[in-house]
Amino acid sequence: MVKIILVGVLAALFFSSTFVLNRAMSLEGGHWIWSASLRYFWMLALLGAGLLVFRRSLLIETLRLYARHFVFWTLAGGVGFGMFYALITFSASYTPGWVVAATWQTTILATPVVLLAFGRAVPLRAMALTLLIFAGVLLVNWEQAAAGSWRDVLLGAVPVLLAAFAYPFGNQLVWEARQGTLRRLPRLDSPAMDDPFCRVLLLTLGSLPLWIILIAVTTPPLPTMDQVAGTALVAVFSGIVATSLFLYARHAAKSASELAAADSTQSMEVIFSLAGEAILLGGALPGPLGWLGILLTMLGLMLYLRVQNVR
């Protein structure tokens, strides 16, 4: 369990770049759909090129696995990568990155709900402690509403709340299919499923239909070169490095409690995002309610891990 948590925290460090860079691109006027979709186009190019050079046979097996289960990967990738990130990026237009990161911690509350929906057992004490984390999230957003408007808070918070359920749902679909325990899902017994880069590539391929539809519907103006460069950084730091680390931690889990513990490490993104936004963007530090909300979130994480008997 300790190794799972340490890898998850490292993933959170790289994940935090998403919130900071998305906020930066939003402040520069970049359209949210490009900030979202270009990340995955970059990931597709980088992962494809890397596997082609270093693991060509595994790339071929990955593409075969995608073709055999196209519908499954479109569902898992469309929800777990596409819907999740489109909502996260949209919210960056209305609220600071560290607030998005704090609100995102509701995924820790969403994860047990998703696990229960898949028929997995979840410790009740752990679920109770996730409410403490949720209370911290509410305080952070309450302070933002007091400083700005409820409209911006709702447009910034509600999409993130929906994304908090989409991400673990998409990942859990893959985990269940790999275990082969649900009849309605294909059994993904392939060497590609043992490689985190291949799993990220499969989910990225699955998200492409959603990106194409969203671009066609929103018809955004062409992205700037700064936005193209910014999404490339997000693709490397968050899309490839962080996601691969996180999926490694998650797929190393052997029980529902270990899965929930891996997901809970994402609360560290709040601290990393706050520091990054303050240093790089000159963002304002939170007020008393914001700090209290962050402290509650971190306290909830520590108590959660203690309940799980982590040593």
Side-chain angles (χ1 to χ4, degrees), residues 15-294:
F15 270 134
S16 65
S17 66
T18 295
F19 305 108
V20 177
L21 290 171
N22 280 345
R23 183 60 174 173
M25 289 184 284
S26 174
L27 292 175
E28 293 175 356
H31 196 284
W32 66 269
I33 190 60
W34 289 123
S35 296
S37 61
L38 282 175
R39 161 183 164 169
Y40 287 94
F41 292 142
W42 275 114
M43 286 172 58
L44 180 64
L46 293 171
L47 286 168
L51 289 172
L52 181 63
V53 172
F54 298 105
R55 300 180 182 179
R56 183 172 301 181
S57 61
L58 201 54
L59 173 61
I60 295 173
E61 174 60 26
T62 300
L63 295 177
R64 286 175 178 171
L65 184 62
Y66 173 72
R68 285 199 302 267
H69 305 291
F70 172 81
V71 174
F72 171 80
W73 289 112
T74 299
L75 174 62
V79 175
F81 272 21
M83 184 183 297
F84 140 71
Y85 199 63
L87 292 167
I88 286 287
T89 310
F90 176 83
S91 67
S93 302
Y94 298 95
T95 194
W98 71 268
V99 177
V100 176
T103 307
W104 170 243
Q105 302 320 307
T106 51
T107 193
I108 300 169
L109 177 62
T111 295
V113 176
V114 171
L115 290 173
L116 287 173
F118 279 93
R120 299 292 172 180
V122 177
L124 293 179
R125 288 185 300 171
M127 288 192 66
L129 287 174
T130 61
L131 297 177
L132 184 62
I133 297 170
F134 186 63
V137 170
L138 290 178
L139 286 178
V140 168
N141 281 279
W142 183 275
E143 182 181 77
Q144 290 299 304
S149 69
W150 279 104
R151 174 183 176 274
D152 286 350
V153 169
L154 291 176
L155 290 174
V158 172
V160 183
L161 292 175
L162 295 175
F165 283 87
Y167 191 64
F169 182 81
N171 281 310
Q172 190 63 26
L173 280 173
V174 179
W175 191 86
E176 296 287 350
R178 191 184 184 197
Q179 300 300 313
T181 54
L182 295 181
R183 293 182 179 179
R184 295 183 179 181
L185 298 179
R187 181 177 178 84
L188 302 179
D189 187 10
S190 166
M193 295 303 297
D194 296 325
D195 187 284
F197 293 104
C198 292
R199 291 196 297 269
V200 173
L201 178 58
L202 285 163
L203 287 167
T204 300
L205 287 168
S207 71
L208 294 184
L210 178 64
W211 297 126
I212 294 172
I213 292 172
L214 287 176
I215 292 172
V217 171
T218 58
T219 60
L222 293 176
T224 64
M225 290 306 299
D226 286 342
Q227 192 172 18
V228 173
T231 55
L233 291 176
V234 174
V236 173
F237 293 151
S238 181
I240 295 179
V241 177
T243 303
S244 297
L245 287 170
F246 179 67
L247 289 181
Y248 174 85
R250 211 170 189 279
H251 284 274
K254 303 300 181 183
S255 66
S257 62
E258 289 185 345
L259 281 171
D263 289 340
S264 74
T265 59
Q266 292 175 89
S267 53
M268 289 298 297
E269 294 169 11
V270 184
I271 302 300
F272 296 139
S273 298
L274 177 60
E277 192 163 355
I279 295 171
L280 299 177
L281 303 181
L285 294 174
L289 280 181
W291 281 117
L292 179 58
I294 292 174

